[in-house]
DNA sequence: CACTTGACCTGTCCGC
DNA sequence: TGCGGACAGGTCAAGT
């Protein structure tokens, strides 16, 4: 589920709620969701206070006062929802427009008890995970070593974007956009939306795309990510922010989950096809497949 | 090297 | 109402 805009939305919420507060206890009922050694957990998690909440690609980094960091990947259906003790100003009770009700519920995998409330890691499909690692080791883990640049950082210029794509010149563009080692944080929704906006067929080879279209793709990719963050991300089924509330970006999506509906540009029926093993949404008229040789 | 498939899991939806 | 299959926002590993 969560791609860069959703994880960033969660990060911003947690950043308002957690820093300065202390973790008092933890429980987990699914080992793969929280595979840490209990001794390490007792020593470096319980009693730790939160310094800051960061993000790299689709991974959340909750940095603790013990020089350990809680690294979390939400994968497809993960949620991190904070509920304050009653009377506190955020997260108390649950708003009616929330997607999640009373917590914990049957998809709660990890519960972090804190001095001012409780942080629930819910994950219906159990693909996500939380790992407690020494903060100094986080930059050295495999994921951090190979993940590509952050697209919303100022250093991510058009030249960088193009150079990253051309690390895989013979691959189809959608697969390259989804490759976290090429660019960080893009997933199925924003790959489809940015390719539509740039009028590029998802099965085009990188080296067959014109410079002009690559420039448009660069601009549209950043625009789509920024708009989604502004709208609190995309809620298709499970995604919620740190308060348990939905994001509204999908009401602005032009192709994603719009198969069978008319293209907003030309009226042609939006198709759903399979590209790079993923459901892929295109306008067959706006996005033409042009083969090179 | 690039692409496909299967795995990891649970839940929902759709057709029969 | 039940049952089987396909599919779901993400990554891995293994096979062609």
């Amino acid at each position: 589920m969560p791609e860069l805009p959703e994880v960033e939305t969660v990060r911003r919420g947690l950043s308002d709620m957690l820093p300065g507060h202390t973790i008092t206890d933890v429980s987990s009922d699914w080992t793969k969701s929280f595979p840490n050694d209990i001794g390490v957990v007792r020593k470096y998690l319980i009693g730790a206070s939160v310094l800051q909440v960061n993000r790299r690609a689709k991974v959340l980094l909750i940095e603790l006062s013990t020089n350990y960091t809680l690294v979390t990947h939400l994968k497809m259906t993960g949620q991190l929802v904070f509920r304050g003790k009653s009377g506190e100003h955020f997260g108390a009770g649950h708003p009616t427009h929330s997607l999640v009700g009373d917590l914990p519920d049957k998809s709660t995998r990890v519960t972090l008890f804190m001095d001012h409330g409780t942080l629930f890691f819910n994950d219906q499909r159990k693909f996500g995970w939380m790992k407690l690692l020494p903060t100094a080791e986080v930059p050295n883990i495999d994921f951090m070593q190979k993940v590509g640049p952050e697209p919303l950082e100022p250093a991510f210029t058009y030249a960088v974007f193009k150079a990253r794509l051309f690390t895989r010149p013979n691959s189809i563009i959608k697969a390259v956009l989804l490759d976290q080692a090429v660019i960080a944080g893009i997933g199925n929704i924003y790959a489809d939306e940015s390719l539509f906006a740039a009028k590029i067929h998802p099965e085009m080879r990188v080296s067959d795309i014109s410079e002009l279209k690559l420039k448009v793709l660069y601009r549209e990719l950043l625009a789509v990510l920024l708009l989604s963050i502004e709208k609190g991300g995309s809620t298709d089924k499970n995604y919620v922010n740190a308060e348990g509330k939905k994001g509204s970006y999908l009401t602005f999506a032009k192709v994603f989950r719009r198969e069978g509906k008319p293209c907003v540009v030309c009226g042609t029926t939006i198709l759903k096809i399979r590209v790079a093993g993923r459901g892929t949404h295109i306008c067959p008229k706006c996005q033409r497949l042009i083969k090179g040789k």
Side-chain angles (χ1 to χ4, degrees):
Chain A
M1 141 264 142
E3 306 179 30
L4 187 154
E6 290 74 34
V7 180
E8 176 60 20
T9 301
V10 172
R11 186 200 69 76
R12 291 180 183 188
L14 295 179
S15 256
D16 288 338
M17 300 169 180
L18 304 188
H21 288 280
T22 302
I23 296 163
T24 57
D25 204 357
V26 61
S27 72
S28 168
D29 71 344
W30 186 252
T31 304
K32 290 179 180 178
S33 296
F34 188 57
N36 271 94
D37 177 84
I38 188 65
V40 172
V41 169
R42 287 216 184 89
K43 193 166 178 185
Y44 297 106
L45 183 66
I46 296 170
S49 62
V50 174
L51 299 181
Q52 53 182 323
V53 184
N54 298 313
R55 177 188 61 75
R56 180 76 170 97
K58 300 172 188 172
V59 168
L60 279 164
L61 304 162
I62 302 175
E63 193 181 330
L64 304 173
S65 58
T66 50
N67 292 325
Y68 268 66
T69 292
L70 203 47
V71 183
T72 303
H73 201 309
L74 301 174
K75 289 288 181 82
M76 295 284 262
T77 57
Q79 307 169 328
L80 274 179
V81 179
F82 183 79
R83 290 281 162 79
K85 291 178 175 169
S86 58
E88 302 226 0
H89 64 287
F90 44 59
H94 36 89
T96 53
H97 51 295
S98 171
L99 198 59
V100 291
D102 290 325
L103 290 173
D105 63 23
K106 65 179 175 180
S107 65
T108 300
R109 309 301 173 202
V110 184
T111 306
L112 285 166
F113 300 92
M114 301 187 68
D115 61 64
H116 65 321
T118 311
L119 182 62
F120 296 93
F121 176 37
N122 273 24
D123 186 14
Q124 179 185 96
R125 292 177 71 183
K126 299 179 173 175
F127 293 166
W129 43 260
M130 296 183 117
K131 291 173 188 167
L132 188 61
L133 299 174
T135 300
E137 281 180 25
V138 171
N140 301 325
I141 65 178
D142 283 352
F143 173 82
M144 292 296 175
Q145 287 292 308
K146 70 180 186 190
V147 71
E150 287 290 324
L152 298 181
E153 290 290 308
F156 192 74
T157 59
Y158 171 69
V160 171
F161 170 74
K162 184 179 173 186
R164 296 306 302 160
L165 294 188
F166 273 82
T167 59
R168 294 184 59 183
N170 300 316
S171 297
I172 60 177
I173 182 66
K174 177 156 179 176
V176 177
L177 288 176
L178 292 176
D179 184 345
Q180 299 301 293
V182 174
I183 300 167
I186 304 167
N188 211 29
I189 298 174
Y190 306 105
D192 280 7
E193 289 297 313
S194 61
L195 288 170
F196 170 79
K199 293 180 158 49
I200 297 170
H201 192 284
E203 291 174 299
M204 288 285 291
R205 281 177 188 276
V206 168
S207 57
D208 288 338
I209 303 171
S210 71
E211 179 86 16
L212 181 65
K213 286 207 170 180
L214 283 182
K215 284 184 176 168
V216 177
L217 179 60
Y218 168 75
R219 175 160 41 84
E220 294 296 338
L221 174 63
L222 300 195
V224 155
L225 294 174
L226 287 170
L227 176 63
S228 184
I229 291 172
E230 187 185 317
K231 300 303 174 187
S234 297
T235 296
D236 185 20
K237 295 182 69 176
N238 293 273
Y239 169 72
V240 292
N241 66 15
E243 294 177 82
K245 296 177 186 171
K246 302 178 185 181
S248 66
Y249 175 80
L250 284 189
T251 63
F252 298 86
K254 296 189 170 81
V255 288
F256 193 82
R257 290 291 141 75
R258 290 197 69 249
E259 61 269 30
K261 294 180 179 164
C263 170
V264 294
V265 173
C266 73
T268 303
T269 301
I270 300 297
L271 296 183
K272 186 170 182 187
I273 60 177
R274 190 151 284 267
V275 177
R278 313 294 302 278
T280 298
H281 310 75
I282 61 165
C283 169
K285 185 174 175 192
C286 293
Q287 296 166 275
R288 297 293 179 86
L289 181 57
I290 304 156
K291 304 220 177 190
K293 19 186 144 42

